[in-house]
Amino acid sequence: RVYRNMYGALVLALASLLPRLFVGLHSYSGAGIPPMFGDYEAQRHWMEVTTNLPVTEWYHNTTDNNLQYWGIDYPPLTAYWSWAAGKAAEYIYHPMVALHTSRGIEDTQSKLFMRLSVVVGDLLLYIPACWAFMVAYYRRRGATSAQVISGFLFLSLQPALLLVDHGHFQYNGVSLGLAMWAITAILYDRVYLASMLFVMALNYKQMCLYYAPAFFFYLLQRCLSKDTWFQRLSHLLCIGCVVVVSFLVCWAPFLHSWDQVAQVLHRVFPVARGLYEDKVASFWCVSGPLLRWKEVPRELMLRLTLVATLVALAPPSIMLLRRPSHRAFIFAMGAGAFAFFMFSYHVHEKTILLPLMPVSLMLVEAPFLALWLTQAALFSMYPLLLKDGQAITYIVAMSITVFILFSNYANTLQKRLTALASCVCMCAVHLCSKYVQPPPRYPDVWLLAFASLSFGHFAIGYIACLHQQWHSQNIQPIPKQIQAKKKKVS
């Protein structure tokens, strides 16, 4: 049995790795396009900066660190990750992180190292987190081995994540892996560990703030469920201490000066960049041509986006506080992340990975929703992927997703019509963008069509997450390990 389990684990590991390597054979963001190149060069440049410069200069504009050339704009854990990868690169192939002279390097050795560094990140954090979640959530609910394995393969091979991380080039698997480990800790009722892991995810990518309302209200409810006010307050204070200490540890190298902290925050939350970049499937971008949001003063726009986001966050947060369960928590994460994506300030198209992750976790229980929104997420990123030279991998990923959707999960008339309508509309936009010349007055009309159709899908996804959350069980199953501990104590 041990050998059989080892063989099965090896097969699953290979199944998770091979598609990553296939996607990595294709182009990436900014390939051969000087002077700025793209996200690939940004990640490499951060390795160069963190390896060669002291911590105090990582986020500051200096003679050796021109912030106009891909200055670090993520929280400290991303910088630490870049430092660790840069040190490995310095040992394996030093020219790719040499200060100044490595700018724009695109030789075979550096590309191989960069591609494999993303794979290593997935192997260390994301793929183990996928398996841990499947075991923690589904095995304890009586799911079959086939369901657990199929859910694991879909989650570990989430097509949108693969095309962004291993195609376009980013390390989203690290932050999503940390967030998934935090969810798994919640499932085992390890709230302090979950708090620490979520702080780590938030300090790797600030976009994990999308999950913060779900974590806050779930943990708040866990505190309020205690028997006495003393237990409630002490539990809340303990969680707060874990959060504060975790933040202090992550930010320790920058805490010696308020200027350092302020500069990092300024880089992490760049409100000066505007409401959105390119054509993204947010409410503000889709309605922008009619309502002219970019003409609204920035201060007023910040208030509008804040109010709209808070209004959209209210339903999942209130429901989670009043009807808590593990399932409700995960769908509240999805609804909350969709709320942020559709209504918050300065959103990127790649950020759709955040609402997509909790929905993907529920593949076994809500397979149609997970696959349908994966199709929509892929479609929303097509203009970006086309620019990156990822058209072939996009076609393969979209074809596989649609095939699985129709062959297995569009099993009612309503689902078949929904899936068919989506496919027809998406094909129409693809064909128009390929063969129909846009009017001179509206050169971005087809990009806006991609964003608008995607926004419609995501708005439905938000409502579907609320619906699933509302119908989640109100009874929280107690893990067997906790039951056993309680019996011993009694």
Side-chain angles (χ1 to χ4, degrees), residues 297-334:
R298 184 190 302 166
E299 292 74 16
L300 178 58
M301 201 67 237
L302 285 168
R303 294 191 186 96
L304 285 174
T305 55
L306 176 62
V307 170
T309 305
L310 291 176
V311 169
L313 286 172
S317 301
I318 294 172
M319 274 198 288
L320 185 59
L321 195 61
R322 301 195 62 178
R323 298 168 59 91
S325 71
H326 289 155
R327 191 174 189 273
F329 167 65
I330 295 170
F331 277 112
M333 286 181 65

Side-chain angles (χ1 to χ4, degrees), residues 25-327:
L25 293 174
H26 295 76
S27 186
Y28 49 84
S29 171
I33 308 176
M36 293 299 292
F37 301 93
D39 274 355
Y40 172 93
E41 169 63 11
Q43 302 289 342
R44 187 216 59 78
H45 180 64
W46 296 349
M47 297 179 194
E48 172 195 344
V49 168
T50 54
T51 303
N52 292 283
L53 302 180
V55 176
T56 54
E57 295 185 22
W58 287 0
Y59 290 91
H60 283 268
N61 195 56
T62 65
T63 55
D64 290 323
N65 184 24
N66 180 9
L67 294 183
Q68 296 301 313
Y69 185 81
W70 298 117
I72 300 176
D73 53 4
Y74 284 124
L77 277 188
T78 289
Y80 305 152
W81 177 271
S82 299
W83 175 84
K87 285 299 181 182
E90 192 175 41
Y91 176 77
I92 296 170
Y93 184 56
H94 182 267
M96 71 166 289
V97 291
L99 191 62
H100 302 312
T101 59
S102 62
R103 181 172 294 191
I105 188 171
E106 292 182 298
D107 58 18
T108 303
Q109 295 94 320
S110 61
K111 286 191 282 189
L112 180 62
F113 178 89
M114 294 294 286
R115 288 299 195 191
L116 290 180
S117 68
V118 186
V119 174
V120 169
D122 285 356
L123 283 174
L124 290 176
L125 286 168
Y126 184 76
I127 294 176
C130 294
W131 182 254
F133 172 84
M134 297 306 296
V135 171
Y137 187 84
Y138 288 110
R139 271 284 173 84
R140 294 159 65 223
R141 283 161 174 73
T144 64
S145 296
Q147 288 175 319
V148 172
I149 291 172
S150 63
F152 165 76
L153 288 175
F154 175 75
L155 192 56
S156 63
L157 296 173
Q158 170 44 253
L161 177 63
L162 258 62
L163 295 193
V164 172
D165 275 16
H166 300 271
H168 175 83
F169 201 92
Q170 282 192 338
Y171 293 95
N172 293 287
V174 176
S175 57
L176 293 179
L178 288 168
M180 209 182 305
W181 277 115
I183 297 169
T184 305
I186 289 284
L187 299 180
Y188 286 110
D189 203 36
R190 303 290 192 266
V191 293
Y192 302 137
L193 179 61
S195 301
M196 184 192 73
L197 289 167
F198 178 67
V199 169
M200 292 176 66
L202 187 58
N203 277 284
Y204 188 88
K205 282 205 171 183
Q206 64 269 37
M207 284 76 78
C208 284
L209 188 66
Y210 287 20
Y211 300 146
F215 273 92
F216 173 80
F217 283 100
Y218 181 85
L219 294 174
L220 177 62
Q221 193 281 329
R222 295 287 292 136
C223 295
L224 295 176
S225 65
K226 300 296 179 181
D227 295 331
T228 66
W229 276 107
F230 176 77
Q231 290 177 324
R232 295 167 189 169
L233 289 174
S234 61
H235 197 53
L236 182 62
L237 286 174
C238 288
I239 293 175
C241 288
V242 170
V243 171
V244 171
V245 170
S246 300
F247 265 103
L248 291 176
V249 171
C250 290
W251 285 68
F254 306 97
L255 295 179
H256 66 278
S257 166
W258 170 248
D259 290 338
Q260 284 283 344
V261 175
Q263 179 63 16
V264 176
L265 290 173
H266 173 72
R267 295 295 301 167
V268 169
F269 297 104
V271 295
R273 291 187 184 179
L275 186 57
Y276 52 83
E277 291 184 11
D278 298 324
K279 293 293 183 287
V280 62
S282 71
F283 170 78
W284 313 108
C285 177
V286 170
S287 60
L290 292 177
L291 301 178
R292 307 285 183 180
W293 297 114
K294 287 199 170 183
E295 297 177 6
V296 177
R298 184 190 302 166
E299 292 74 16
L300 178 58
M301 201 67 237
L302 285 168
R303 294 191 186 96
L304 285 174
T305 55
L306 176 62
V307 170
T309 305
L310 291 176
V311 169
L313 286 172
S317 301
I318 294 172
M319 274 198 288
L320 185 59
L321 195 61
R322 301 195 62 178
R323 298 168 59 91
S325 71
H326 289 155
R327 191 174 189 273

